[in-house]
Amino acid sequence: MADIVQAAKLLGDARRVVVFTGAGISAESGVPTFRDALTGLWERFDAQSLATPQAFQDQPDLVWGWYEWRRHRVSTVSPNPGHRAVAAIESRVPSTVVITQNVDDLHERAGSRDPVHLHGSLFAPRCSGCGEAVALPPATAEPDAGRRVQPPACVRCHGLVRPGVVWFGEALPEAALEAAARAASACDVLLTVGTSGMVYPAAEIPRIAARAGAAVIQVNPHATPMDSVALVNLRGSAGRILPELVT
Ligand code: BV8
Ligand code: ZN
């Protein structure tokens, strides 16, 4: 119990806060994380092999079908108390910067003003040829697991439309990474929630904050490589712990 009191005090006293999130914060909304049901539902493939430019080049319909399934899933779920607690932190400390690795829109729907999406978004598809942003109709009814869906063609250059996410082997958006590193190096407290801390360079963000002297608080039901970086490790789910941090 002492840890949560210490974490709430650190957060309450902080003037400059960064919240860094991963798939775990959306788990209680029903969005599977990378390392469990998501691949379970697509047990034939692991996310890491599908989330690559090569996979899209080789099997655009399989990759596009996977992302349409995920876009549909996100559109059918709601933000959970964890997302809402993050928005409450922003209301209390308006300079708070929310940095997410997630490609869902649950932070925005919970009221977060302008989260930094390090790995893009399911809702920002673009042409793989000319880069043109593409407006999509709402995702089709949930395809059965593994249904192949042909990606649409760009009206301008007839290139294949691709998901607006950062795949493994692709560079992160420079502006997003710079904004995230700048915020992490200048904050008093960095709250890292629901990430296994295994994917780089995003996983550097909490380390940048710790090196700059910030207090890192981790919320995760399991141990992660961030344990050694965190000043306070709160073992538990985001939906239960975060609201306790902001009361
Ligand atoms: C790049 C979008 C170079 C797509 C994703 C060193 C330096 C730089 C790169 C590398 C490096 N070493 C290796 C690399 C390559 C690679 C990498 O990091 N590989 C890993 C596997 C070792 N990195 C890259 O390829 C990156 N690009 O470096 O480019 C470059 C430079 C210039 C020019 C060209 C190239 C790009 C990486 C981005 C990949 N895209 N997502 C999509 O979504 O489909 S990554 C994806 O997985 C997520 O976005 C996230 O970032 C990552 C990890 O997922 P998590 O969010 O942590 O989720 P996970 O399932 O792992 O864990 C969930 C956690 O939640 C668990 O800890 C669990 O305990 C917890 N949890 C569960 N329930 C709850 C909970 N917590 C709280 N409450 C709950 N209820
Ligand atoms: Zn195009």
Side-chain angles (χ1 to χ4, degrees), residues 95-197:
S95 60
T96 298
V97 177
V98 177
I99 303 166
T100 188
Q101 301 170 85
N102 299 340
V103 294
D104 64 47
D105 61 349
L106 296 176
H107 278 305
E108 290 87 340
R109 287 163 54 194
S112 286
R113 277 185 320 280
D114 182 20
V116 177
H117 279 271
L118 288 179
H119 293 154
S121 166
L122 288 170
F123 300 91
R126 64 175 189 274
C127 171
S128 54
C130 66
E132 172 97 346
V134 173
L136 283 180
T140 48
E142 184 144 343
D144 51 41
R147 186 159 73 93
R148 292 168 179 268
V149 179
Q150 188 55 28
C154 167
V155 291
R156 254 182 45 173
C157 75
H158 309 299
L160 285 185
V161 176
R162 59 161 283 176
V165 300
V166 179
W167 279 325
F168 287 100
E170 291 188 320
L172 276 59
E174 218 169 294
L177 190 53
E178 265 171 31
R182 198 171 38 251
S185 56
C187 69
D188 310 318
V189 167
L190 181 138
L191 181 61
T192 172
V193 184
T195 180
S196 57

Side-chain angles (χ1 to χ4, degrees), residues 15-224:
R15 294 289 43 87
R16 292 166 303 174
V17 176
V18 165
V19 182
F20 177 70
T21 65
I25 197 167
S26 298
E28 288 156 280
S29 293
V31 181
T33 65
F34 272 79
R35 281 159 183 73
D36 40 44
L38 197 55
T39 39
L41 283 168
W42 288 66
E43 66 280 354
R44 297 198 304 280
F45 310 96
D46 111 79
Q48 217 147 303
S49 59
L50 273 187
T52 65
Q54 196 57 49
F56 185 69
Q57 196 177 322
D58 298 346
Q59 306 189 77
D61 54 357
L62 183 68
V63 174
W64 184 256
W66 185 52
Y67 281 93
E68 279 300 87
W69 173 80
R70 289 172 64 189
R71 187 163 73 96
H72 178 268
R73 169 60 71 92
V74 169
S75 59
T76 60
V77 301
S78 308
N80 67 59
H83 296 105
R84 286 197 290 277
V86 171
I89 292 171
E90 289 176 77
S91 319
R92 205 177 60 194
V93 185
S95 60
T96 298
V97 177
V98 177
I99 303 166
T100 188
Q101 301 170 85
N102 299 340
V103 294
D104 64 47
D105 61 349
L106 296 176
H107 278 305
E108 290 87 340
R109 287 163 54 194
S112 286
R113 277 185 320 280
D114 182 20
V116 177
H117 279 271
L118 288 179
H119 293 154
S121 166
L122 288 170
F123 300 91
R126 64 175 189 274
C127 171
S128 54
C130 66
E132 172 97 346
V134 173
L136 283 180
T140 48
E142 184 144 343
D144 51 41
R147 186 159 73 93
R148 292 168 179 268
V149 179
Q150 188 55 28
C154 167
V155 291
R156 254 182 45 173
C157 75
H158 309 299
L160 285 185
V161 176
R162 59 161 283 176
V165 300
V166 179
W167 279 325
F168 287 100
E170 291 188 320
L172 276 59
E174 218 169 294
L177 190 53
E178 265 171 31
R182 198 171 38 251
S185 56
C187 69
D188 310 318
V189 167
L190 181 138
L191 181 61
T192 172
V193 184
T195 180
S196 57
M198 291 160 66
V199 170
Y200 285 83
E204 270 302 318
I205 295 301
R207 291 170 171 81
I208 290 171
R211 280 198 295 268
V216 174
I217 301 166
Q218 178 176 226
V219 177
N220 196 313
H222 302 297
T224 76

